[in-house]
């Protein structure tokens, strides 16, 4: 009781998400790209970010480079650590969401339980799940970082699709077959889906109170 009384006044003074969104003239969402290594998450995430930036949207891309090398550098690739990895990423995304910023998350997110946890933390209304899908054979043939080869040689353990599971999303908001579409066509499809959700109608002027 005492606690909540102490917290309340601070809460009152915090600038609301809604007002931050007005400042940025956008609706914040979490765009979560899930799929096998080499499916195209980073490529599409980066291109999507460029396209959104051109249209005046403020975004933050989250991927292995900026998460696993810093905040989550104490985590490995066993299922438990992967779950914790996703939990922290979802919590970070929620902070960005409350700052009015659109995050573009590029993580394998291999299991239904992990994606469900992410959806629960972010909130279903703000979570957009995009299944970046190419068959394992195609991803392995691309082998962008040479990781499949190492995994096949047993040099990397717990590699998704080889000796760690990937459960295809059952109900993604959008599925992109990157073995059938070009990068441009793929990003176009994502933009068509995402733009109506992040665009603020009648872009209101931000008023200082
Ligand atoms: P991930 O981030 O999922 O591990 P990357 O984006 O690093 O995958 O690698 C995907 C590879 O597939 C890149 O070499 C990219 O050029 C190629 N590619 C071919 N078609 C597509 C497409 N439609 N979308 C994304 N990537 C594609």
């Amino acid at each position: 009781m005492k606690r909540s009384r102490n917290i309340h006044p601070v809460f009152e003074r915090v600038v609301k998400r809604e007002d931050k969104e007005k400042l940025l003239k956008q609706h914040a969402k979490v765009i979560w790209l899930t799929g096998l290594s080499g499916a195209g998450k980073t490529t599409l995430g980066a291109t999507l970010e460029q396209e959104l930036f051109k249209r005046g949207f403020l975004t933050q891309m989250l991927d292995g480079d900026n998460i696993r090398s810093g905040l989550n550098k104490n985590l490995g690739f066993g299922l438990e650590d992967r779950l914790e990895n996703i939990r922290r990423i979802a919590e970070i995304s929620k902070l960005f969401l409350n700052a009015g910023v659109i995050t573009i998350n590029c993580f394998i997110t291999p299991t239904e339980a992990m994606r469900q946890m992410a959806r629960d933390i972010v909130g279903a209304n703000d979570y957009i799940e995009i299944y970046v899908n190419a068959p394992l054979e195609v991803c392995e043939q691309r082998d962008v970082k040479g990781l499949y080869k190492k995994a096949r040689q047993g040099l990397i353990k717990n590699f998704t699709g080889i000796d760690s599971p990937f459960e295809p999303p059952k109900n993604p908001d959008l599925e992109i077959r990157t073995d059938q579409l070009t990068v441009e066509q793929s990003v176009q499809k994502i933009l068509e889906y995402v733009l109506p959700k992040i665009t603020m109608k009648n872009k209101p002027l931000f008023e200082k109170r």
Side-chain angles (χ1 to χ4, degrees), residues 37-38 134-143 148 177-179:
S37 175
L136 178 65
E137 304 78 62
V138 174
C139 296
E140 192 163 358
Q141 208 179 0
R142 286 178 182 162
D143 210 3
Y148 281 98
R177 285 294 301 252
T178 65
D179 58 323

Side-chain angles (χ1 to χ4, degrees), residues 36-44 142 144-145 178 181-183 186:
L36 289 169
S37 175
K41 302 177 296 298
T42 312
T43 305
L44 294 182
R142 286 178 182 162
V144 192
K145 300 169 196 155
T178 65
L181 301 173
T182 64
V183 172
S186 305

Side-chain angles (χ1 to χ4, degrees), residues 1 7 30 56 59 63 68 79 127 130 140 149 172 207:
M1 198 54 192
I7 288 169
V30 174
T59 57
D63 66 2
R68 280 229 179 239
L79 280 182
Y127 174 89
I130 301 181
E140 192 163 358
K149 193 170 172 217
E207 285 172 45

